[in-house]
Structure formats: C-alpha cells, structure tokens
Amino acid sequence: MRRATVLLVYYRRASWIQSDVEILQRHYNVLSLVWNSNLDFFRLVALVLRSDIVLTWFAYGHSLAAVALARLLRRKCIAVAGGGEVTWIPEIDYGAQGSFKGRVSTKLCLQTADIVIAVSRHTASELIHVAHPRKLAVVYNAVDVTFFSPNGERKGAALTVSTGRTRSDLRLKGVDIFLEVAKRLPTFDFFLVGTSRSFLARMRYHVPDNVCVLGWVDRPRLRDLYRMCKVYCQLSFYESFGLSLAEAMASGCVPVVSDRGALPEVVGDCGYVVPYGDIHAICSTLLLAMRSYHHRSPPVRRRIVEHFSLDEREKKLLTVIRQLGRC
C-alpha cells in the first residue's frame, strides 16, 4: 500500500516542529516548507499538489494560504494553534487577536481546516471564542524524556528560560519578576537562559549579583543546567503550553509557575502555582520548593513521562491524522 504524503508548513524552525517531522517520517512520506515570504506561495502550490495531507503550524497568514490551497486542491488539512494566534493581551501587546488582519486570517484558517489541533486545553478554550472549527482536538507539545532526564547532584539554585527579543517578550516570560525575586533572595543562585546581559541593560533591567545571565545555550548545555538546579521558575504573564517548563520537569526540577495560561495545566498537582506577579508569594514558595525537592522531584518527572512524552504525542497525533480518512 502506498504511504500517504504529509506536507508540513511552518514559518520558523523550532525543536518541537522537528520532533513532529521525525514522528511523521516513521509513518508517512514527509515534505516540509519553511515559509519565509509570500514568494513561497508558488512553491507551496507545487508541494500541496504532491501531498495527500497538509499540516500547518501556527494559524497565521502562511497557514491560511496552505489550508485554502489544500481545500481548493481537495487535500485534507490540519492546522495547529500554538496559542498566540487566538489571544490578545493589551498590557504587553501580545497576540494576533489585537489586529484586524490577525483576527480575520486566524479565524478563516481555523474554520477552513478539516481538523484544528490546540496545544493545550487552555488554548482550546481561547480558540473557540475566536473561531468555530469543524473539528477540534487537544494534542500537547512533547518532551524527549530520554534526553531530558535527572542525573547527578544539584545545587540550591533556580532557573528560567526566556528567548525574548523585545521588552514585551521579557514581560511575557516574567523575566522582570524573576529578577526581582532573585534580588529578594540574595543567598541563592539564579540562572537566566535565552537572553543576554547587554539586551537586559538596553531594556534598563537591573541584574542582581546572584543572577547568572547565560544567553543562548545548546540543548546539551541546557540539559546540564536543568540537572544542576533544584527549581525551575516559569513566572510568565501568559503561556499556551510551556515547553521549557516541561523539559525542566522531565529533568527533575521542581516547578514554580504563575497561575496564567496553561502553566497550571502542565504542572498539575506536582509543583507549585503562585499568583502572577506576587513577589512575596513567589519568594516563599520558591524556598518551599527548594526544601521539598527530594520528595517532589520523582512525581514531577513522572507526570511529564506519563502525559507529555514524545510517545504520547505520536499516538495522539496519529489518531488525529487517521480521522481524516485518507490513510
């Protein structure tokens, strides 16, 4: 029997998209298109013609083009909503729903696709307020729990990851709050990954002496940092899932997260959830997380293995694709 061909369309490379490519390659012929500009439309036409199924990540303009072409050429199509497309947070100017163009393109994409995948129940709940998809499924993002795993002794330190490039990004990821918590707890070490000290200086952020700002690091180095720290903080204003959080939990870090977006959904009852921006509560909870590390860490990792592993994503993603009735 001929293997179906799946076209994966996305606008930026990311580790979780590469994971999807590897999952799909085990079951289908896979084509990929990284959308860089509208000039890619002509290549998109050629690739859709060669495909049976189109799967597009993030319901922005490139996804609308892919989904519309798939419908026109009678191919099945799936759109993945990553979160930012279906929200609007005016305080930090975040989300596609803040513009007319974003609202229209996202709504048309999500209502045209045969199936829409949301990366969390929280994202699904936001999605249904902006669009009425034909069919909606929740398939969580996933972590390589073999690669991200505990190993060795740890120090009483806290870590957060933020890949922000603007002031809004820093607020989105709660970097301002993380730095303030570090200032209040000068006897502990804090690690900030994904942004640079020079960028923080340009944004006029004061970095306390007990914070090590590491900038971008590769996956092995990031794993080492997760393994070294007892606590992982995700103090974000908003998260549609929280992949770094899940990686840290798989590595055995006890999570301390804000009560925003899908963060409580990922943590479950294994970690600590605090009110967003409540510095006093975060400080006291972080100290509690440090003290409770030894008995909290095993169930924290077990939660990721059971609910957010690559194996789990593979099973659920294949279930969604098979609902299309073309495989």
Side-chain angles (χ1 to χ4, degrees), residues 132-185:
H132 302 288
R134 298 161 184 258
K135 187 174 291 187
L136 177 61
V138 174
V139 181
Y140 288 114
N141 288 335
V143 174
D144 184 341
V145 296
T146 301
F147 182 83
F148 290 106
S149 60
N151 185 36
E153 293 297 318
R154 298 176 187 255
K155 61 190 300 184
L159 168 72
T160 197
V161 175
S162 169
T163 55
R165 296 177 177 84
T166 66
R167 179 177 291 275
S168 291
D169 290 340
L170 294 177
R171 287 198 64 199
L172 175 70
K173 295 296 183 179
V175 172
D176 50 342
I177 298 168
F178 184 77
L179 294 176
E180 181 60 29
V181 170
K183 179 182 176 182
R184 303 280 185 95
L185 299 173

Side-chain angles (χ1 to χ4, degrees), residues 294-312:
H294 289 290
H295 77 266
R296 284 274 186 177
S297 182
V300 163
R301 172 170 167 79
R302 189 161 54 246
R303 176 168 177 78
I304 300 302
V305 171
E306 292 176 354
H307 298 284
F308 307 108
S309 69
L310 290 175
D311 287 344
E312 280 297 302

Side-chain angles (χ1 to χ4, degrees), residues 59 67 71 77-81 86 97 103 105-121 123-138 320 323-324:
V67 166
R71 299 290 297 183
C77 51
I78 300 171
V80 181
V86 297
Q97 295 300 302
R103 289 194 297 273
S105 61
T106 294
K107 182 174 182 177
L108 287 175
C109 174
L110 296 176
Q111 294 190 170
T112 303
D114 291 296
I115 302 177
V116 173
I117 292 176
V119 299
S120 64
R121 292 196 304 272
T123 295
S125 68
E126 289 190 308
L127 189 154
I128 60 177
H129 291 293
V130 302
H132 302 288
R134 298 161 184 258
K135 187 174 291 187
L136 177 61
V138 174
V320 169
Q323 290 177 18
L324 296 172

Side-chain angles (χ1 to χ4, degrees), residues 42-54:
F42 300 101
R43 187 169 170 229
L44 176 64
V45 174
L47 290 173
V48 171
L49 284 168
R50 293 169 53 193
S51 306
D52 301 295
I53 299 165
V54 176

